[in-house]
Amino acid sequence: MFIFKTVKSIQNHLNKKQTRQKKIGFVPTMGALHEGHLSLLKQSLKENDLTVVSIFVNPTQFGDPEDLEKYPKPIESDIEKLEKYGCDLLFLPETKEVYPHNRVKKEINLRGLDKTMEGAHRPNHFAGVVGVVDRLLEIVQPDRLYMGQKDYQQFAIIKQFLRRTKSKTELIRIPIVREADGLAMSSRNIRLSDAGRKKAVIISQTLYQAREDSKTMTLTEVKQKALSHLKSNGMDVDYFEIADGDNLQSITTSEQSDTVIICTTVRIDGIRLLDNIIIKESH
Ligand code: PAF
């Protein structure tokens, strides 16, 4: 696996004629790689001639400096995992490479998609995500971009961003990878206490039950039941929303929506755990 730390070096490599003739898949990450990330990598390796993974803990998407500080950075084991799975290229830039002084910051209107759910709890988070993904795409210029369903709102925002900027990059959504008991994999899970880790299973159980309930109950009833279940189990719920999968607005009936998603974020041991489930999708 080639490792590049500067924009110039990765671009020199990617811009070689024989490389540009290849299909390039791209998996942006912030490191601390787990099975969830590796499922994106595996899919990209299957569908492309060359796969680029980036590891960059993007400061502009963290509101809380402490969260940024505490973000795990196990770079040696990340590199080992990427090599084991057969990643072709790792882009491992420093902040000054991603955000050079002379770079003009683009104003990106996210049309309210960044204001609901996660956005209501993390102001400017999605502006930071879109900014860095835009910059990484400019550097790598991939044919396909792989993102996880785990961060569904992020996926939906990037999808809209690519559509509006008429990007040639195709966005591929990869399903959530779960632990054996159902907990969605996340780099944050290792920060849970033993008791917190046990309690965390309630999140996915509630989502599965909500999907079942949606077959016989109104969405308002589904939401009320799920919220009271989470709260009666002592969960500190940031939000539990049933939303249109494209515009991310809360809905009470699924008829008008092609995609319907239930998204929740719960805090355990002060750690925010996100999860979601798609209950309707028409292709
Ligand atoms: O999902 C993530 O890990 C990050 O938000 C991303 C897409 C790599 C941008 O920093």
Side-chain angles (χ1 to χ4, degrees):
M1 179 176 74
F2 291 106
I3 302 179
F4 295 107
K5 295 192 170 181
T6 64
V7 172
K8 205 169 164 200
S9 60
I10 192 168
Q11 284 189 329
N12 279 344
H13 184 90
L14 291 173
N15 288 337
K16 283 184 196 142
K17 201 170 159 227
Q18 66 270 36
T19 312
R20 275 289 154 220
Q21 282 162 349
K22 294 182 174 170
K23 283 273 174 239
I24 300 177
F26 178 45
V27 181
T29 81
M30 298 207 297
L33 304 177
H34 50 68
E35 285 301 320
H37 297 108
L38 297 170
S39 69
L40 307 186
L41 170 59
K42 278 190 230 163
Q43 193 63 25
S44 176
L45 288 168
K46 233 189 260 171
E47 294 179 347
N48 301 281
D49 305 313
L50 197 135
T51 291
V52 180
V53 169
S54 65
I55 296 182
F56 176 62
V57 183
N58 174 36
T60 67
Q61 68 188 76
F62 287 84
D64 180 357
E66 211 184 307
D67 207 17
L68 173 61
E69 189 66 27
K70 281 192 190 152
Y71 204 85
K73 297 177 189 75
I75 192 62
E76 297 303 325
S77 75
D78 281 351
I79 291 176
E80 262 174 44
K81 286 175 191 160
L82 292 174
E83 283 192 319
K84 183 173 152 216
Y85 279 83
C87 173
D88 299 293
L89 250 98
L90 168 61
F91 183 43
L92 190 61
E94 284 184 22
T95 306
K96 64 178 186 340
E97 288 291 320
V98 179
Y99 301 115
H101 290 307
N102 55 1
R103 184 172 156 81
V104 183
K105 210 173 154 248
K106 260 191 221 165
E107 280 309 320
I108 303 162
N109 181 355
L110 299 176
R111 301 207 173 159
L113 262 69
D114 57 331
K115 299 286 184 278
T116 63
M117 302 191 285
E118 277 305 287
H121 293 267
R122 303 182 72 186
N124 301 324
H125 167 68
F126 289 115
V129 170
V130 174
V132 77
V133 171
D134 181 37
R135 172 70 173 138
L136 292 168
L137 291 178
E138 174 186 282
I139 297 167
V140 178
Q141 296 183 29
D143 297 280
R144 299 192 182 95
L145 167 66
Y146 292 81
M147 301 195 91
Q149 183 193 319
K150 163 79 182 356
D151 294 297
Y152 186 86
Q153 188 167 9
Q154 166 172 282
F155 163 82
I157 288 174
I158 297 293
K159 182 173 161 192
Q160 188 202 242
F161 171 72
L162 295 180
R163 195 188 302 139
R164 289 194 38 220
T165 53
K166 300 192 168 54
S167 169
K168 290 198 178 72
T169 301
E170 182 190 356
L171 178 62
I172 316 278
R173 188 185 76 210
I174 302 294
I176 299 177
V177 180
R178 296 182 179 278
E179 301 285 356
D181 66 356
L183 176 65
M185 289 206 184
S186 160
S187 311
R188 291 182 175 145
N189 293 353
I190 47 168
R191 287 166 55 198
L192 290 168
S193 65
D194 288 349
R197 173 64 189 81
K198 283 199 187 114
K199 205 171 153 188
V201 67
I202 295 169
I203 307 169
S204 57
Q205 284 173 350
T206 308
L207 287 171
Y208 289 132
Q209 185 59 47
R211 181 177 58 187
E212 269 317 291
D213 290 342
S214 70
K215 294 174 186 162
T216 53
M217 294 160 89
T218 68
L219 297 186
T220 310
E221 287 165 348
V222 172
K223 181 172 165 179
Q224 271 164 1
K225 182 179 166 196
L227 267 171
S228 74
H229 181 69
L230 288 170
K231 287 182 184 159
S232 66
N233 277 285
M235 296 294 205
D236 180 1
V237 183
D238 269 4
Y239 61 87
F240 183 98
E241 288 297 346
I242 306 182
D244 179 285
D246 291 312
N247 66 27
L248 303 179
Q249 296 303 307
S250 184
I251 51 172
T252 50
T253 163
S254 58
E255 274 140 43
Q256 312 297 319
S257 302
D258 290 337
T259 307
V260 177
I261 179 130
I262 310 182
C263 295
T264 189
T265 291
V266 164
R267 286 174 199 256
I268 297 181
D269 300 334
I271 298 155
R272 300 184 73 247
L273 300 174
L274 284 71
D275 203 349
N276 65 68
I277 197 163
I278 293 171
I279 60 168
K280 176 183 172 191
E281 186 153 45
S282 347
H283 293 281

